[in-house]
Amino acid sequence: MRKLLFESVFRQPLTERAPSPDDAAMAELATALGQAGRRRLGRSLSIREVDAGSCNGCELEIHALNNAYYDVERFGLRFVASPRHADVLMVTGPVTKNMRGALERTYDATPNPKWVVAVGDCARNGGCFAGSYAVVGGVSEVIPVDLHIPGCPPAPTAMLQGLLALLERADAGAVTS
Amino acid sequence: MPSLIDLTLEGRKVAQYGPWPRVVVDASVWTFAASELAHGRWNLLGLWGEPATVHMAIMDGQTAEIAVVSLDCPDRTFPSVGKHHPPALRLERTINDLFGLSAQGSSDARPWLDHNRWDVRFPLGERIDALPNAAPYRFLAAEGDGLHQIAVGPVHAGIIEPGHFRFTASGETVVRLEQRLGYVHKGIDGLMTGASLARGVQLAGRTSGDSTVAYAYAYSRAAEAALDLVVPDRAVFLRALLAELERLANHLGDIGAICNDASFALMHAHCGVLRESVLRAAAAASGHRLMRDIIVPGGVSRDIGDGGAEAIQATLDNIRLRFPALVELYDNTASLQDRTVDTGTLKPPLARQYAVGGYVGRASGRSFDARRTLAYPPYDSLRFDVPVLNEGDVNARVWIRVREVEQSLSLIEQILSRLPEGPICREVPLGGEVREGMAIVEGFRGDVLVWLRLRNGLIERCHMRDPSWFQWPLLEAVIENNIVADFPLCNKSFNCSYSGHDL
Ligand code: SF4
């Protein structure tokens, strides 16, 4: 049984099967991101995800980036376990007051140079939770943000496009840390 | 033995309430109800506050009768339910944090959601300024030779919601786990107050992102119960279609993720592909991968798009083709079963005491499933089994999910083949001056309860209770005597919501 499964994994990578507009866009992204990333960082970009108050919808789609369809690792993007290993913090949620301190400490623990990507409508300005006694608001109220990726939640493709845009800005020297 | 009906005769019945009765009782009846809960005759479904009232939703486990009892607390106290019945403890701590009503006689008066960071205390009650310096949170003690503590979180090592876990271990073996939650408290109950029904459903759908359909569903049904509104048949079926797609996507994701926590990445990869296929079909049918903002009071906001039914059917066919091989793989991989069998065992009596729902309850002998027990339409006319196991370990929770995937596939096929024609939404009337409603809907994780009161069409108070409230404390119990390295497996097999709990 396992042999069969392994064979199917090696025989037909999902990302190349049944070409659709999505897959074509993905291939473009892969090439562009690969080059930009390499120019700037030489090898790869390590991302630490921080949920600062999300409803967990954004997390579900960030998880999807790792599935066989999107497979972010082939773009040189990798999720890491510690902020100390990270180049990028991907932050979700309307920062809650109860998470503010933890977000600040995570940011401080991330070595320079670093970039912050705020993912989702909540992370931009608190989304539909703005104004609550328990919520600070957007991520930029707490730590400097380099890029917002809108959506509730943004689809995985939108996140990939956002990360590409970040790399290009970083490459052009527009982002400094 | 008194039945719930007898109890409701003891109190003052509240008018304009649907579909279950609510009665205002005195302290002695309140305490009597608490002792019946403690004796296991009734199940606690929810416990929540208002500025000067507490409410408790109760179900008779035998007859599935449901009632809400309410107690006025003019002196800002109420007799503790948690003193008799531990599942109420965290709910009472929350009532105190939000409303400043204290549970008299409770064994645990520590704050729960309030970390003293809100600048205000009792935000939904009679507000006062926050304490200048709150005392540090007092974790429960575990004493003995050679014990050590491991503090984890709120920021964890993966893509996961934030919470704090305090392990006390003896070598590798966990002696005690204590959770500290509340990090993602967004004040949703507060935002609901004064909101329109439309804004309310938007908030409900963002209470726990993985259950966005279940929450919008429960909220809408509660509103419709309050307004005596019957939704069109087509909407009734479309709602269940979305709910089953949500269940399918989450179960497929979970089965893979549990195996991944046992370092069996192959399963994770394949389940991830199937999950993605469900989300794509959902997007084709509803316009949104997570099917957000589709269910609204009165019906659904959009019909399934062109080709939606075909996309779903193609996905079902593909899952039917591929899933059995994955189940076989799980069943035949000894190294994986070595990690899941007999790990994190929840004993049936404890599951019963907490009236825990979802796969956690059903893997530990508790057969409650709101779709079957409460038989709300269209489930009253659909064929499906509610799988139940008694082992209560990680393995059993995986198998319940596997069986539920199969049931959802069948349910979706039945729904698609019987989808009635006609309108998908009905105009929502403003209703009379005051109306109340409650609903319980089976989300993928368990039963989601929503209670709301409308005044002239606006929300006066809305309370949503996630199934996680009764699952989180049991996770503390099952980890005992397991090794620290098995915690991720236990945790993932429960997959409690942080956001739904912290609200
Ligand atoms: S942007 Fe949407 S999906 Fe993301 S955390 Fe906010 S409500 Fe949830």
Side-chain angles (χ1 to χ4, degrees):
Chain A
M1 165 84 309
R2 200 180 306 182
K3 198 159 155 260
L4 255 179
L5 282 162
F6 271 121
E7 273 171 12
S8 78
V9 169
F10 289 121
R11 231 183 6 237
Q12 270 195 336
L14 276 161
T15 37
E16 289 180 9
R17 219 175 60 187
S20 71
D22 269 14
D23 287 346
M26 206 72 69
E28 254 180 60
L29 267 175
T31 324
L33 191 53
Q35 284 164 1
R38 259 191 300 280
R39 272 206 305 276
R40 172 71 188 179
L41 295 154
R43 315 164 259 119
S44 64
L45 199 57
S46 295
I47 306 171
R48 171 62 245 202
E49 198 268 348
V50 185
D51 176 340
S54 149
C55 76
N56 80 33
C58 282
E59 275 61 35
L60 291 176
E61 293 297 55
I62 294 173
H63 266 292
L65 285 174
N66 281 318
N67 75 30
Y69 286 90
Y70 305 105
D71 187 22
V72 286
E73 295 218 3
R74 74 196 152 119
F75 304 145
L77 299 170
R78 199 162 60 98
F79 285 92
V80 294
S82 165
R84 298 190 197 283
H85 304 158
D87 308 301
V88 173
L89 290 183
M90 236 180 163
V91 188
T92 64
V95 181
T96 62
K97 291 193 180 161
N98 287 351
M99 267 307 283
R100 178 184 198 137
L103 176 60
E104 285 166 346
R105 289 173 64 182
T106 307
Y107 181 79
D108 291 342
T110 311
N112 286 318
K114 58 191 163 194
W115 294 274
V116 174
V117 180
V119 174
D121 293 347
C122 289
R124 178 188 287 274
N125 55 15
C128 68
F129 306 109
S132 165
Y133 64 86
V135 157
V136 180
V139 175
S140 62
E141 307 263 325
V142 181
I143 54 175
V145 169
D146 298 292
L147 176 76
H148 286 110
I149 301 176
C152 181
T157 323
M159 289 196 217
L160 277 174
Q161 280 163 340
L163 288 169
L164 170 65
L166 173 82
L167 278 169
E168 282 181 343
R169 272 177 57 197
D171 204 41
V175 175
T176 49
S177 294
Chain B
M1 182 174 46
S3 77
L4 263 184
I5 299 287
D6 297 332
L7 183 75
T8 57
L9 293 177
E10 300 254 352
R12 177 167 50 82
K13 219 169 176 144
V14 175
Q16 303 293 6
Y17 193 88
W20 298 292
R22 176 164 85 83
V23 288
V24 181
V25 299
D26 60 22
S28 67
V29 179
W30 177 270
T31 306
F32 169 76
S35 76
E36 291 294 286
L37 290 171
H39 287 107
R41 288 192 271 273
W42 295 339
N43 297 332
L44 182 66
L45 292 180
L47 180 61
W48 65 96
E50 280 197 86
T53 315
V54 285
H55 307 281
M56 169 159 63
I58 297 168
M59 182 177 75
D60 184 323
Q62 300 290 319
T63 61
E65 280 174 275
I66 290 173
V68 176
V69 293
S70 308
L71 177 71
D72 291 329
C73 345
D75 61 353
R76 318 199 63 69
T77 66
F78 62 97
S80 170
V81 177
K83 177 180 162 192
H84 309 276
H85 189 56
L89 282 173
R90 288 180 177 180
L91 293 157
E92 287 180 348
R93 291 165 70 185
T94 299
I95 291 173
N96 193 38
D97 286 353
L98 299 182
F99 295 95
L101 306 177
S102 66
Q104 292 300 294
S106 164
S107 56
D108 194 344
R110 294 174 298 167
W112 182 236
L113 298 182
D114 186 352
H115 296 189
N116 203 47
R117 297 270 157 77
W118 299 335
D119 314 319
V120 57
R121 290 186 76 199
F122 317 137
L124 307 183
E126 287 175 15
R127 294 174 156 229
I128 59 171
D129 285 345
L131 300 169
N133 295 304
Y137 191 76
R138 204 167 30 79
F139 284 94
L140 301 175
E143 285 162 13
D145 282 344
L147 294 186
H148 62 283
Q149 282 201 345
I150 310 168
V152 182
V155 177
H156 300 296
I159 304 169
I160 172 176
E161 299 179 80
H164 182 82
F165 298 103
R166 186 67 63 99
F167 297 90
T168 307
S170 167
E172 275 294 288
T173 309
V174 179
V175 176
R176 164 169 249 163
L177 161 65
E178 192 179 354
Q179 297 149 359
R180 173 121 204 252
L181 300 178
Y183 289 93
V184 283
H185 176 70
K186 294 180 267 296
I188 296 179
D189 277 22
L191 291 168
M192 282 279 190
T193 305
S196 67
L197 270 182
R199 165 142 165 87
V201 73
Q202 195 190 22
L203 286 165
R206 285 159 179 76
T207 303
S208 184
D210 49 22
S211 306
T212 182
V213 171
Y215 269 91
Y217 198 172
Y219 169 92
S220 298
R221 283 184 54 82
E224 287 147 12
L227 296 167
D228 267 332
L229 187 68
V230 178
V231 303
D233 274 353
R234 188 171 173 85
V236 167
F237 276 81
L238 285 175
R239 285 174 169 191
L241 176 70
L242 302 181
E244 294 311 315
L245 285 171
E246 181 173 86
R247 193 180 328 276
L248 197 56
N250 282 310
H251 279 342
L252 288 168
D254 274 5
I255 294 168
I258 295 168
C259 296
N260 198 43
D261 278 340
S263 297
F264 198 70
L266 179 65
M267 196 70 176
H268 185 47
H270 281 271
C271 287
V273 167
L274 295 186
R275 175 184 157 83
E276 176 71 18
S277 72
V278 177
L279 297 190
R280 289 181 175 199
S286 77
H288 191 286
R289 284 164 55 90
L290 303 182
M291 299 165 285
R292 183 159 264 167
D293 297 328
I294 314 289
I295 297 184
V296 293
V300 291
S301 63
R302 53 177 287 171
D303 210 329
I304 48 174
D306 287 342
E310 291 74 21
I312 294 172
Q313 190 60 54
T315 301
L316 295 187
D317 295 344
N318 184 45
I319 296 175
R320 280 202 194 286
L321 190 70
R322 313 221 166 258
F323 190 59
L326 298 178
V327 176
E328 205 183 313
L329 179 63
Y330 176 79
D331 205 13
N332 290 336
T333 305
S335 63
L336 185 52
Q337 304 242 318
D338 184 45
R339 299 289 307 278
T340 60
V341 175
D342 266 348
T343 304
T345 303
L346 172 64
K347 297 261 172 21
L350 200 53
R352 269 201 305 281
Q353 184 190 11
Y354 276 72
V356 65
Y359 40 73
V360 177
R362 292 192 283 274
S364 294
R366 193 168 177 269
S367 67
F368 180 82
D369 180 320
R371 294 173 298 170
R372 163 62 41 82
T373 312
L374 306 177
Y376 51 93
Y379 292 102
D380 53 350
S381 65
L382 298 170
R383 285 185 322 278
F384 64 103
D385 291 332
V386 175
V388 180
L389 291 170
N390 287 307
E391 286 76 5
D393 52 3
V394 172
N395 181 49
R397 289 187 284 278
V398 171
W399 278 108
I400 296 287
R401 284 174 171 86
V402 167
R403 297 277 102 94
E404 290 188 9
V405 163
E406 294 160 0
Q407 294 304 313
S408 286
L409 292 173
S410 149
L411 281 165
I412 294 170
E413 262 164 3
Q414 293 175 54
I415 293 167
L416 284 178
S417 70
R418 293 176 45 190
L419 198 57
E421 294 298 326
I424 54 163
C425 203
R426 187 149 291 163
E427 183 127 1
V428 180
L430 267 188
E433 201 200 341
V434 180
R435 318 275 295 203
E436 291 183 25
M438 188 162 98
I440 300 170
V441 158
E442 190 71 21
F444 92 96
R445 180 180 281 121
D447 47 307
V448 173
L449 177 148
V450 175
W451 170 84
L452 57 71
R453 181 165 60 233
L454 303 171
R455 188 179 288 274
N456 298 320
L458 293 181
I459 299 169
E460 187 167 85
R461 173 90 176 93
C462 174
H463 171 71
M464 299 184 283
R465 195 271 298 138
D466 194 87
S468 303
W469 276 101
F470 301 121
Q471 295 169 340
W472 275 119
L474 297 176
L475 178 61
E476 287 186 347
V478 305
I479 186 68
E480 226 180 280
N481 288 326
N482 287 257
I483 58 170
V484 176
D486 277 341
F487 178 69
L489 268 170
C490 298
N491 188 30
K492 196 70 213 176
S493 74
F494 272 64
N495 191 13
C496 300
S497 174
Y498 296 71
S499 183
H501 166 284
D502 293 353
L503 216 64

